[in-house]
Amino acid sequence: MNGITVGEALVAELRRRGVDCVFGIPGVHTVELYRGLAASGIRHVTPRHEQGAGFMADGYARASGKPGVAFVITGPGLTNTLTPMAQARADSVPMLVVSGVNTTASLGKGIGHLHELPDQLGLAQTVALISEQISDASGLDPAVDRVFHRLASGRPGPAHIEVPLDVAAAGYAAGPRTPLAPAPPTDPDLIRQAATRLAEAQRVVILTGGGAKRVETGLRALADTLDAPVVQTVNARGLMHGHPLIVPASPSLSAVRELIENADCVLALGTELGPTDFDMYATGRVTAMPGLIRVDRCRDQLSRHKADLAIHDDVDMVVPALLAAIPTKKTKGGGAKRAALTRAAAWNEIGADYRLQVEVLNAIRDAVPSALIVGDSTQPIYAGNLYYDHDRAGGWFNAATGYGALGYGIPAAIGAAIAAPSARVICIVGDGGAQFSLPEIMAAVDENLPVTFMIWNNHGYREIAASMQDVGVTVIGCDPSPPDFSATAKSFGIPFATTPAEPDAVARALREADRLDGPSMIEVTAPKFEHRKD
């Protein structure tokens, strides 16, 4: 790569490592990053806000399994991207944010340069798993090696590289390379111990998190071998759709907790056992997990919850190893019955309002099979996070858990559509959350992406208003007026339909949208929450 700038060399290095799309808004502080972009073969998608760039990178990563990459400017570009980085960290999503920064000599001086921050690198380090500055022309290679090594090992999350203006324009010089060390093999003794315990147990329950979403075939075989119900957290939804052993319901529900607590061995695969998955109602009660065997690629996560046996490794390595080590398939011992009883009890537990919304989700799934459903914090997403059986592994994700950032759904759906061009993408957002990032729909127009933006319009922040009213607080600030979504869609130049929040009606509207090329919008009119007026 002789005779090129550091900025050009960075783009070439990203391409060499398999990056095929960058989400970014060019600025004067990233011009040198763009010098080599047009000829690199890397696709560039322009969001309307740097927060959108970060959320697009997140959606791309979840749909592809590869790190999503965002290019942002110094200062406000980086700070606008911190929220997506925090969401990615909470949900273990691999993301790389590349930012500019002011000239090397000016850093930390506080003399009023454009977009200046007191310590941009330090600010990024509060959220990123790793944050590197390329401080000179030969610093590119080792910095990129360190960043990609971190992205490939341990718990996934956001990483950051910043390039000072003067360094980005300087001639590239090769620096020392650090080869990626191969991952150590799975400890065979731990596998044998786990296999023995699982084979001897009579009432195994498997808990699955996002770390298991790419091992569906092996998980199905393991569940069948152990005759074990499989409980899905939010980030595992879509695994083993329709299987008699599946429990597509939140471990926060009492019915699911009872199933887990009555097990004699619990196998937890790739889940952090976090409060928004396991205690959504904030009861403060930790579910007992008898005979817990825990598998996770993050050593820190393994240390946070006491387990009878902890295996530090990728789930996709451990599941086939367990299958090979378990001697014989168990005789059917009631696993399917335990799963069915739990499904029925959980379905009753979520209540009539949420059941109706899950019926809408079921109608959406059946109208457009194997779609990617990307959501924001809104009523049908809350309902689905409690109980919903999606039909595509990794095809249900949203920002209503973990960090819980509003404005996520629309740009994340765009990133997912870039990553999975053959899939239909359905974005479900509320009228309130949609207003955080509505302009990003124009990026879907620019790219002609097959995304249906479904706006669940109940004219306000229903969940917040109900929460305020429940604790005796006068409801205020929860009734922002939504725009005319029909006029908004017309201004975007995309097809529009409106439908009541009824399963058959929503399915009809969605089937019509599915016949169209490019993006479209459906407004689902839901009842407004009529709170008390004190």
Side-chain angles (χ1 to χ4, degrees):
M1 292 193 292
N2 293 329
I4 61 174
T5 66
V6 170
E8 290 175 289
L10 176 55
V11 170
E13 184 68 15
L14 293 178
R15 181 62 177 164
R16 187 179 73 83
R17 291 176 179 269
V19 174
D20 55 17
C21 185
V22 164
F23 304 93
I25 302 175
V28 294
H29 284 184
T30 54
V31 166
E32 289 299 330
L33 294 179
Y34 281 79
R35 183 181 295 278
L37 196 59
S40 69
I42 296 176
R43 182 177 185 175
H44 183 272
V45 175
T46 306
R48 282 11 184 205
H49 190 279
E50 289 94 355
Q51 179 173 277
F55 285 144
M56 288 178 192
D58 177 299
Y60 175 94
R62 296 199 204 210
S64 69
K66 302 191 304 183
V69 180
F71 278 8
V72 300
I73 64 165
T74 305
L78 190 279
T79 55
N80 285 338
T81 316
L82 288 176
T83 294
M85 292 172 71
Q87 184 71 51
R89 180 151 186 163
D91 286 343
S92 302
V93 177
M95 174 195 296
L96 172 59
V97 175
V98 180
S99 75
V101 72
N102 287 306
T103 57
T104 307
S106 73
L107 298 181
K109 301 293 177 59
I111 52 181
H113 281 286
L114 181 67
H115 303 327
E116 187 175 38
L117 282 167
D119 182 4
Q120 180 173 291
L121 191 69
L123 182 62
Q125 287 169 342
T126 63
V127 178
L129 298 173
I130 181 171
S131 183
E132 292 277 345
Q133 182 189 103
I134 300 174
S135 55
D136 56 50
S138 63
L140 170 66
D141 295 339
V144 171
D145 284 346
R146 286 191 293 269
V147 163
F148 275 88
H149 181 272
R150 181 61 188 86
L151 286 171
S153 59
R155 186 183 184 186
H160 169 243
I161 294 174
E162 69 175 21
V163 192
L165 284 168
D166 53 322
V167 176
Y172 163 76
R177 307 303 306 238
T178 305
L180 182 63
T186 304
D187 186 333
D189 184 56
L190 290 178
I191 294 296
R192 282 192 294 270
Q193 290 184 51
T196 299
R197 296 184 187 203
L198 291 166
E200 292 175 350
Q202 299 301 308
R203 298 183 308 282
V204 177
V205 170
I206 300 174
L207 298 179
T208 53
K213 67 183 180 181
R214 301 190 189 281
V215 68
E216 181 177 34
T217 301
L219 177 65
R220 185 184 298 266
L222 183 62
D224 285 337
T225 296
L226 297 172
D227 191 34
V230 178
V231 176
Q232 302 169 332
T233 66
V234 171
N235 286 326
R237 293 297 169 81
L239 289 166
M240 296 172 56
H241 168 65
H243 194 285
L245 288 169
I246 202 68
V247 180
S250 171
S252 300
L253 296 169
S254 297
V256 182
R257 289 186 172 204
E258 183 177 348
L259 172 72
I260 295 168
E261 291 175 346
N262 286 335
D264 58 358
C265 185
V266 175
L267 174 62
L269 300 173
T271 172
E272 69 175 353
L273 309 178
T276 54
D277 267 331
F278 286 80
D279 192 21
M280 202 174 293
Y281 295 112
T283 64
R285 185 173 73 86
V286 177
T287 305
M289 299 184 189
L292 178 61
I293 300 171
R294 194 166 179 212
V295 181
D296 204 285
R297 66 184 294 183
C298 177
R299 196 178 296 279
D300 290 340
Q301 282 296 333
L302 289 173
S303 69
R304 289 172 185 147
H305 296 274
K306 182 176 176 56
D308 290 50
L309 185 65
I311 301 176
H312 177 222
D313 207 337
D314 286 342
V315 171
D316 57 359
M317 300 296 290
V318 171
V319 166
L322 285 174
L323 272 169
I326 294 171
T328 57
K329 187 171 182 177
K330 287 189 176 182
T331 303
K332 295 295 183 183
K337 182 178 180 180
R338 287 188 292 144
L341 290 172
T342 303
R343 288 194 300 269
W347 179 250
N348 289 330
E349 187 178 339
I350 65 173
D353 184 40
Y354 272 179
R355 285 197 295 270
L356 176 60
Q357 292 176 65
V358 175
E359 292 288 2
V360 172
L361 294 174
N362 291 339
I364 291 171
R365 178 197 64 211
D366 296 342
V368 186
S370 297
L372 285 161
I373 298 183
V374 183
D376 224 318
S377 294
T378 192
Q379 292 300 301
I381 297 299
Y382 295 141
N385 283 350
L386 281 176
Y387 190 113
Y388 171 60
D389 186 11
H390 194 49
D391 63 348
R392 181 187 181 117
W396 169 272
F397 59 86
N398 56 77
T401 61
Y403 196 60
L406 271 172
Y408 172 87
I410 290 173
I414 291 168
I418 295 287
S422 63
R424 190 74 192 186
V425 179
I426 300 167
C427 174
I428 303 178
V429 295
D431 57 294
Q435 293 179 73
F436 277 56
S437 53
L438 200 58
E440 301 298 351
I441 291 177
M442 284 307 297
V445 174
D446 288 346
E447 302 294 326
N448 194 36
L449 300 174
V451 183
T452 300
F453 298 97
M454 184 173 289
I455 314 294
W456 192 271
N457 188 359
N458 58 16
H459 293 262
Y461 300 148
R462 185 188 189 283
E463 189 80 6
I464 305 305
S467 297
M468 294 173 76
Q469 185 167 284
D470 287 346
V471 296
V473 174
T474 300
V475 177
I476 188 171
C478 294
D479 301 291
S481 298
D484 180 337
F485 287 108
S486 173
T488 302
K490 183 177 180 180
S491 74
F492 291 159
I494 61 176
F496 174 83
T498 185
T499 179
E502 298 168 358
D504 290 344
V506 171
R508 281 194 300 272
L510 195 55
R511 280 192 290 266
E512 287 298 317
D514 191 44
R515 296 188 182 103
L516 304 172
D517 293 326
S520 60
M521 182 186 293
I522 297 173
E523 179 184 16
V524 181
T525 56
K528 178 177 173 59
F529 177 67
E530 298 297 340
H531 54 78
R532 293 191 300 268
K533 305 293 195 296
D534 293 340

